[in-house]
Amino acid sequence: METLQIYTRKFDISEITDSACFGPFERTVKEFHLNHACDMDLNRPLLFLIRFTNAEGHGEAYQEWVNENHETLWNFFDRLKTRNKCAAVILFIQEKSFELLYRAVKAHVDEVILETEDSGEITERIARCTRRLLALCKQREDRRRLEEYEFNKRQKIMERLLQYLLDKPEDVDYLLPEINRRYGTKLNALHYQAIAITVDQFELYNKDSRFLREISLLIIHQLESAGEIIIGEVDPFGLVAIVNYPEDCVESRKREELEELRRQITQMQDTYGKFEVTIAVGPMVEQMKDIRASLDGAMYVSEYRMAEPGQVLYASEHPGVTERLDRCLSNRSIRELCRYVALGDMEHIEAWFEHFYQETEPKFQEYPPAYARFCWQMQKQVKKMEKASRIRIFPDMRFFALQHVFDGHERMKELQLLLLEISHMMQNELSDEHELASHAIAYMKVHYAEPVNLETIAEHCGFSTSYFSRKFKEQTGENYIDVLTEIRMKKAQQLLRETDLGIEQIIEQTGYYDDKHFRKLFARQTGMTPSEYRRLEKEKRSSVAK
């Protein structure tokens, strides 16, 4: 049963001898102060027991009290009944006053009781108010459940439609009439835009359906200029809305609506506690087949919240959001980290991240979408490891939660811990057979300068070439030749940095005999020729020395 909050003024609750008049409610009693009205919980049933003395019925004392904090008592009660239907106001007066009765009726006061009335009559009138409150609370709860049921039913339909739009967008444009008929929507082939709403409290997003329902309703009510809105949860993004705007929609109006939406969601902190929210808007597209690109743009631009907190972010204002991750972090480096995780090499994972924080993260800070791209890339690689090793590693939710860590550096710390946990699991699962990749990599690190090939490594590990090749791929996610090439290229880079050996000598010392082949592989790994790499490293050293 709900708690009935009773507010009293110059009224002692003990004066009511029969407490049964308050019905089955649990009760809490507080002194009523007009200047504390903003602290009231308007979602609970409220009962006000207000007593006026003769001196307050007229004159200066009365005017002084009702005008506290520049707000009259009557205006407060009038607004109260508008905002909370489950509220009742009872006035106790010592003698009849036309001015009081007139104001009470105007302010929708429920009962005005003369204190000269019989105590039994007073108790009955309080009980009548309480019964009315009980009925209103039941109606409100029934209405809330019905609305929730209807919303959840429609939301499931909308989420199915949203998933279809994202999975098969190329089919949507010519199926619009059938989709509108089946789902009761009003989509038209004009302007579509993806909007993603993300909060930094994953537990709140993941577990509190009421929170998501309230945000969904705010989106529907606030985006008045939209022709149709399809809302659903899309992992790992959060809450996603596909908005279909009419052709004559004004850009400035759309932006005003989104700003107001952000403000209203932020106000929900009063109910759900402190959280940060990001609203990211993808580019406008003219065909549904391009809606995935709009959603990707929204998600990548949301990463700029680190530099622009508390703003609605637009992909159109950040044209660089579609740039690739290898602008900041090479595919070779990612493969290296994945190999350490697959082999349970926690020491090298720690070292990899130390290097990342010092050398690579400054580039991520200049291009914030790199944080999200890197996390998604690692999630895909871990899924591959899981499939190859047949080990149940982690539910996807562990990775989805990273998207809700707004600070980029903290997100990388969380990812590091997650990968160390996975590495520990992989290490525990390693048997003698699973050590094949570790032995093979150790052999390659020692014999990289020799003419190493598949046969020699498989023979060293004691397996046939076909079995070795398949198991190595399962355990590391890479072919042995890719790992061997990476080891050799790292050694070549070290020799170019630290020695004055000629290119031909370096080619020999790294196990290659074909100059053209070596240069091709080196350019693929570094993006430059050996001579350019050596010159760049010398320039770096000289600039540091200065």
Side-chain angles (χ1 to χ4, degrees):
M1 177 54 65
E2 287 191 83
T3 300
L4 175 64
Q5 180 65 64
I6 302 174
Y7 288 95
T8 65
R9 178 181 183 273
K10 294 190 176 183
F11 187 91
D12 188 351
I13 200 72
S14 63
E15 295 178 30
I16 301 174
T17 55
D18 187 2
S19 60
C21 68
F22 294 113
F25 289 110
E26 295 180 11
R27 301 185 300 278
T28 59
V29 182
K30 291 184 179 179
E31 185 73 20
F32 174 67
H33 297 284
L34 194 59
N35 55 346
H36 295 160
C38 58
D39 298 329
M40 293 179 183
D41 184 356
L42 297 181
N43 294 313
R44 294 169 58 180
L46 305 174
L47 176 62
F48 294 82
L49 303 176
I50 308 297
R51 171 175 279 153
F52 283 119
T53 62
N54 287 338
E56 291 173 330
H58 56 275
E60 293 181 4
Y62 169 72
Q63 288 301 324
E64 181 181 348
W65 186 75
V66 298
N67 286 311
E68 263 183 77
N69 292 334
H70 311 288
E71 180 178 39
T72 70
L73 174 70
W74 309 109
N75 285 341
F76 166 74
F77 285 141
D78 192 23
R79 286 202 308 277
L80 170 73
K81 300 301 281 291
T82 303
R83 295 177 64 185
N84 184 0
K85 301 297 183 185
C86 297
V89 181
I90 300 177
L91 296 185
F92 293 88
I93 59 177
Q94 293 178 336
E95 60 183 36
K96 293 179 181 179
S97 165
F98 176 78
E99 181 182 2
L100 270 176
L101 291 173
Y102 172 75
R103 287 178 175 271
V105 171
K106 193 174 178 181
H108 302 99
V109 169
D110 295 84
E111 298 280 351
V112 179
I113 299 177
L114 270 172
E115 295 198 20
T116 56
E117 291 184 25
D118 178 74
S119 61
E121 178 66 20
I122 292 174
T123 301
E124 174 56 32
R125 294 177 71 176
I126 293 174
R128 191 162 57 202
C129 272
T130 308
R131 286 195 297 270
R132 189 159 58 241
L133 281 180
L134 191 62
L136 288 170
C137 287
K138 186 177 185 305
Q139 289 174 16
R140 183 173 67 176
E141 180 62 19
D142 291 344
R143 187 167 57 250
R144 184 192 66 78
R145 287 179 179 175
L146 180 61
E147 287 176 356
E148 187 171 343
Y149 171 77
E150 291 295 334
F151 176 83
N152 289 340
K153 186 168 71 171
R154 175 171 170 77
Q155 196 62 15
K156 286 179 182 177
I157 294 172
M158 288 297 102
E159 286 185 356
R160 282 203 302 269
L161 175 56
L162 178 62
Q163 202 59 55
Y164 179 77
L165 296 181
L166 295 176
D167 290 345
K168 299 181 178 179
E170 66 281 356
D171 296 343
V172 173
D173 291 308
Y174 68 87
L175 289 175
L176 271 181
E178 175 61 22
I179 289 172
N180 286 333
R181 185 191 66 78
R182 178 175 295 183
Y183 292 99
T185 54
K186 300 176 183 177
L187 294 168
N188 57 61
L190 288 175
H191 304 293
Y192 301 100
Q193 198 164 36
I195 299 173
I197 294 93
T198 313
V199 296
D200 66 342
Q201 301 291 333
F202 183 66
E203 290 300 312
L204 184 63
Y205 157 77
N206 190 39
K207 292 184 178 178
D208 199 327
S209 59
R210 188 165 57 99
F211 176 73
L212 293 179
R213 182 164 61 90
E214 286 189 27
I215 293 182
S216 299
L217 291 173
L218 279 177
I219 294 171
I220 293 169
H221 294 153
Q222 188 57 42
L223 302 186
E224 296 177 349
S225 60
E228 183 62 84
I229 305 173
I230 299 169
I231 305 173
E233 297 173 50
V234 179
D235 293 321
F237 308 133
L239 205 60
V240 169
I242 304 298
V243 185
N244 188 194
Y245 285 107
E247 195 170 10
D248 58 353
C249 184
V250 180
E251 180 68 20
S252 59
R253 184 183 174 191
K254 287 193 300 183
R255 295 195 172 221
E256 287 173 6
E257 290 173 352
L258 287 167
E259 283 293 342
E260 179 60 21
L261 174 63
R262 186 194 63 79
R263 189 187 66 78
Q264 291 187 17
I265 294 175
T266 303
Q267 286 181 342
M268 292 170 62
Q269 294 181 81
D270 297 339
T271 305
Y272 295 97
K274 187 172 177 58
F275 63 84
E276 288 185 44
V277 61
T278 297
I279 297 179
V281 184
M284 187 74 75
V285 295
E286 294 186 358
Q287 294 179 304
M288 186 58 79
K289 68 178 183 180
D290 299 321
I291 197 61
R292 187 76 206 196
S294 182
L295 178 57
D296 289 344
M299 292 319 304
Y300 291 135
V301 80
S302 69
E303 297 298 319
Y304 284 93
R305 61 197 164 207
M306 289 174 257
E308 304 172 39
Q311 303 292 320
V312 178
L313 301 167
Y314 295 88
S316 58
E317 296 174 1
H318 296 273
V321 295
T322 56
E323 293 189 27
R324 294 170 48 171
L325 176 60
D326 55 15
R327 158 186 168 176
C328 306
L329 183 65
S330 68
N331 291 328
R332 175 179 59 81
S333 185
I334 295 174
R335 288 199 304 272
E336 183 180 308
L337 175 60
C338 292
R339 187 164 66 248
Y340 296 149
V341 174
L343 296 175
D345 192 341
M346 289 182 278
E347 183 179 344
H348 277 91
I349 293 173
E350 295 274 14
W352 189 97
F353 273 97
E354 281 300 317
H355 181 269
F356 171 85
Y357 296 134
Q358 294 176 12
E359 302 293 332
T360 308
E361 191 168 21
K363 300 176 186 176
F364 274 45
Q365 291 167 349
E366 293 176 5
Y367 176 58
Y371 286 106
R373 290 178 180 272
F374 179 44
C375 289
W376 294 338
Q377 183 72 13
M378 291 308 302
Q379 181 183 358
K380 287 197 296 185
Q381 295 299 326
V382 167
K383 295 301 287 184
K384 287 181 181 178
M385 292 178 207
E386 187 177 61
K387 186 176 179 181
S389 63
R390 298 179 179 82
I391 301 171
R392 178 62 178 162
I393 296 177
F394 279 124
D396 287 337
M397 284 298 174
R398 289 291 299 275
F399 279 96
F400 294 163
L402 294 175
Q403 176 65 21
H404 297 263
V405 180
F406 282 11
D407 181 86
H409 183 72
E410 287 302 314
R411 193 187 303 182
M412 291 300 99
K413 289 288 187 183
E414 291 289 333
L415 177 63
Q416 181 180 354
L417 292 174
L418 183 56
L419 294 179
L420 285 170
E421 286 183 52
I422 295 171
S423 175
H424 185 68
M425 292 175 66
M426 299 296 289
Q427 191 179 58
N428 290 339
E429 290 292 329
L430 287 176
S431 62
D432 291 341
E433 183 182 287
H434 283 79
E435 292 177 3
L436 174 150
S438 298
H439 292 158
I441 292 172
Y443 179 84
M444 286 187 272
K445 285 183 175 179
V446 174
H447 299 276
Y448 64 88
E450 301 171 13
V452 177
N453 56 32
L454 178 60
E455 286 75 16
T456 56
I457 302 174
E459 183 181 351
H460 169 76
C461 294
F463 297 104
S464 68
T465 54
S466 59
Y467 180 84
F468 168 81
S469 182
R470 178 166 56 85
K471 282 295 179 182
F472 190 92
K473 175 79 171 179
E474 283 181 5
Q475 292 172 29
T476 65
E478 299 178 82
N479 295 316
Y480 92 93
I481 193 62
D482 295 326
V483 177
L484 178 60
T485 300
E486 185 180 318
I487 292 169
R488 286 171 166 172
M489 289 300 111
K490 276 191 172 182
K491 185 62 180 178
Q493 291 171 37
Q494 180 187 354
L495 293 173
L496 286 166
R497 284 195 310 268
E498 300 174 3
T499 72
D500 294 324
L501 292 174
I503 303 299
E504 292 76 11
Q505 292 173 286
I506 292 174
I507 291 173
E508 270 188 41
Q509 291 192 22
T510 52
Y512 290 102
Y513 301 95
D514 185 334
D515 179 275
K516 185 177 180 181
H517 181 58
F518 172 83
R519 290 176 184 275
K520 180 180 178 181
L521 291 174
F522 192 89
R524 187 185 299 167
Q525 290 278 337
T526 64
M528 58 188 84
T529 66
S531 301
E532 289 171 341
Y533 180 85
R534 173 172 274 171
R535 184 170 64 253
L536 182 63
E537 289 298 320
K538 283 184 178 179
E539 289 173 359
K540 284 183 181 177
R541 286 200 299 272
S542 61
S543 64
V544 170
K546 291 178 182 177

